Amino acid sequence: MTLITTRPGPGAARPYRFPQVVRRAVAGGQVVAAHLPGQNLAVALLLLDGGAGREPVGKEGLGAVLAKALEEGTGQRDATAYALAIEALGTELVTGLDWDSFQVSVQVPVDRLNAAVELLAEAVRTPKLDPADVLRVRDDEATALRMDWANPGPRADAVLRAELFGVDNRWGRPMYGDPESVAALDVDDVTVFHSEWFIRPGTLIVAGDLDRIDLDALGAAAFAGTAGGAVEPGGPIEVPLPDRRRVILVDRPGSVQSTLRIGHPSPHRAHPDHVPMTLAGTVLGGAFTSRLNHLIREVHGYTYGIRGDFASSRRFGRFAISSGVQTAVTAPALVEAVGEVSRTQLTGVTEDELAVARSWRAGQLSVELQTPRAIASALTTLVVHDLPDDYHARLREALLAADVDQVSAAAGAHLHPESLTVVVEGDSAIIRDELVAANLGEVVDHTP
């Protein structure tokens, strides 16, 4: 007996109002805050222009090593004393790194926020960076990366990024580096990177009840002892599209599955097509109800899941599909996936598909932007991408107002099936001939 049910339709997106945003200059830096009346928890996040994009080529992983070294003691106290001080406030340092920024944050009750920001600034501005500690942290990070890179996926990701953006560019290499680049870092690399990017004031993001928070005092604590100003972030990077589709085969002898990575360059985060492009990506591969997941998982049973979407940073972006399939169905899965990209680019989306995507994306705002930490993260988006203060307040309406013509036009303009780079990490001896026969493009063996 087969049980058949009808997939439920989209619900109505709940209304949402983004908090009031306050900006002010304090002590040589900028404070950007959101007012959360009655909220007893508050988040302070120091946003620095020291993301992975600032690392020199060949020194990938500096930010990740420095992030872990910040709690290894400061100029004022050793690692144990620092840990006891921050634990006494009931909090911890949370670090984050992306292409555009380095972030360090604390979340505490409002009445402890000043003390927490002082400890945060102490770690960021005056870390001890003892050579023995730095080398130990570096070695731990390199070991963790070796373990990660022993699994399927990281090599394929790295090969796709290098093909899209060029291995001679920092953004053509892994965001967190690879085992070799991290293992080659020395103490001077870390201390110089800190002196170049972590002494600048940056921006203090605050989310909490501003009636109970002294923003001037927080800014003074966060920016004390800093020097230097903001550095020109640089404009969007023009990344040329490949003139033909290629298949890069990364040999993994004996693998029982093939890891698939498919992509091409796409626009940067502040591009005016960001909303319709996001919705087109959602329909194609960005949700469980997407075309790709329906076709590759539900219709053919080739995978447990497949995802494809647009992702973007301040200066560049990429469209990418990722999945893992059994070795025996590598070629047909790729043919179907590339075919679905072509169909979406040519024919656009339907009203029914778009209704689901709009409802889900708009509904996410109501669900996700509830906590102080989520609000702080949203504020960092405003700062990093130079977006207006009412961006998040208008985003829900922009998502709900996008129509089929707009989203289909974005799919037609920003999906490039003939320029896709297809990376397959799998058993070359088994799958190579089938990949050649599939005629998706020239099949090239990757050489490390």
Side-chain angles (χ1 to χ4, degrees):
M1 181 176 65
T2 301
L3 295 177
I4 300 175
T5 187
T6 301
R7 177 181 289 167
R14 296 179 182 178
Y16 177 76
R17 177 172 294 176
F18 195 78
Q20 174 190 355
V21 177
V22 176
R23 292 179 184 250
R24 66 178 62 175
V26 179
Q30 294 291 321
V31 176
V32 178
H35 183 35
L36 307 179
Q39 175 62 252
N40 288 321
L41 282 178
V43 168
L45 183 153
L46 186 60
L47 181 67
L48 301 173
D49 189 354
R54 295 298 190 186
E55 297 171 350
V57 173
K59 303 292 184 181
E60 299 82 30
L62 273 172
V65 172
L66 185 51
K68 290 179 172 59
L70 290 182
E71 292 186 84
E72 296 294 327
T74 69
Q76 291 75 33
R77 43 191 129 203
D78 63 22
T80 300
Y82 185 84
L84 290 173
I86 203 157
E87 287 174 7
L89 297 177
T91 189
E92 61 178 341
L93 289 187
V94 177
T95 58
L97 175 75
D98 57 28
W99 288 107
D100 302 316
S101 67
F102 188 100
Q103 306 169 18
V104 188
S105 65
V106 288
Q107 177 173 272
V108 290
V110 173
D111 59 359
R112 301 179 185 177
L113 188 59
N114 282 53
V117 169
E118 289 175 358
L119 283 173
L120 181 155
E122 181 181 323
V124 172
R125 310 304 190 183
T126 60
K128 188 176 182 181
L129 297 183
D130 180 89
D133 292 333
V134 171
L135 293 178
R136 174 174 48 78
V137 167
R138 176 205 65 185
D139 292 344
D140 288 347
E141 183 69 8
T143 298
L145 283 172
R146 289 189 191 98
M147 295 172 64
D148 186 40
W149 280 58
N151 298 312
R155 281 203 300 165
D157 291 331
V159 171
L160 178 60
R161 178 163 291 281
E163 290 291 326
L164 298 188
F165 301 110
V167 73
D168 293 333
N169 301 310
R170 175 61 188 94
W171 46 90
R173 299 180 178 216
M175 182 187 298
Y176 301 108
D178 58 41
E180 289 72 31
S181 71
V182 171
L185 297 174
D186 60 30
V187 174
D188 285 345
D189 293 328
V190 176
T191 56
V192 168
F193 190 74
H194 177 270
S195 67
E196 288 179 342
W197 300 108
F198 283 56
I199 305 301
R200 300 177 189 275
T203 301
L204 183 67
I205 304 291
V206 180
D209 186 345
L210 300 188
D211 291 336
R212 301 161 60 193
I213 294 173
D214 186 340
L215 294 180
D216 291 329
L218 288 183
F223 305 136
T226 60
V231 177
E232 172 57 42
I237 298 166
E238 296 298 327
V239 183
L241 288 165
D243 58 5
R244 67 191 188 284
R245 195 161 55 221
R246 290 206 310 160
V247 179
I248 313 297
L249 184 51
V250 181
D251 191 21
R252 189 177 180 85
S255 180
V256 298
Q257 73 168 19
S258 294
T259 299
L260 311 182
R261 299 291 187 266
I262 309 168
H264 60 62
S266 67
H268 59 98
R269 175 63 176 77
H271 192 280
D273 282 350
H274 176 73
V275 167
M277 200 165 61
T278 297
L279 289 168
T282 302
V283 170
L284 175 58
F288 191 78
T289 57
S290 70
R291 289 180 172 183
L292 282 170
N293 204 54
H294 175 73
L295 179 66
I296 308 301
R297 172 193 162 98
E298 297 181 24
V299 174
H300 293 292
Y302 291 156
T303 182
Y304 283 115
I306 182 170
R307 185 173 183 84
D309 58 11
F310 292 94
S312 53
S313 68
R314 184 165 55 197
R315 305 188 67 191
F316 58 88
R318 64 100 183 103
F319 169 76
I321 297 169
S322 62
S323 186
V325 300
Q326 291 184 8
T327 297
V329 298
T330 300
L334 284 171
V335 170
E336 294 288 357
V338 172
E340 195 61 55
V341 176
S342 297
R343 182 170 78 89
T344 303
Q345 191 268 337
L346 287 171
T347 66
V349 303
T350 68
E351 178 57 44
D352 288 344
E353 291 173 320
L354 182 55
V356 174
R358 280 191 304 240
S359 175
W360 182 55
R361 287 291 183 185
Q364 276 187 310
L365 299 179
S366 304
V367 175
E368 292 180 353
L369 295 180
Q370 293 291 335
T371 66
R373 190 170 291 283
I375 298 296
S377 179
L379 292 179
T380 67
T381 300
L382 302 184
V383 175
V384 170
H385 302 292
D386 195 24
L387 298 171
D389 288 350
D390 64 349
Y391 173 79
H392 292 290
R394 293 185 291 105
L395 180 57
R396 179 178 180 275
E397 285 69 28
L399 287 165
L400 293 175
D403 60 32
V404 167
D405 290 341
Q406 291 174 314
V407 176
S408 295
H414 301 298
L415 289 173
H416 304 281
E418 296 306 316
S419 297
L420 288 168
T421 295
V422 179
V423 177
V424 184
E425 182 180 2
D427 192 331
S428 176
I430 296 176
I431 62 178
R432 194 181 199 286
D433 289 345
E434 291 187 2
L435 291 174
V436 172
N439 199 32
L440 289 171
E442 178 189 9
V443 178
V444 179
D445 294 304
H446 173 66
T447 53

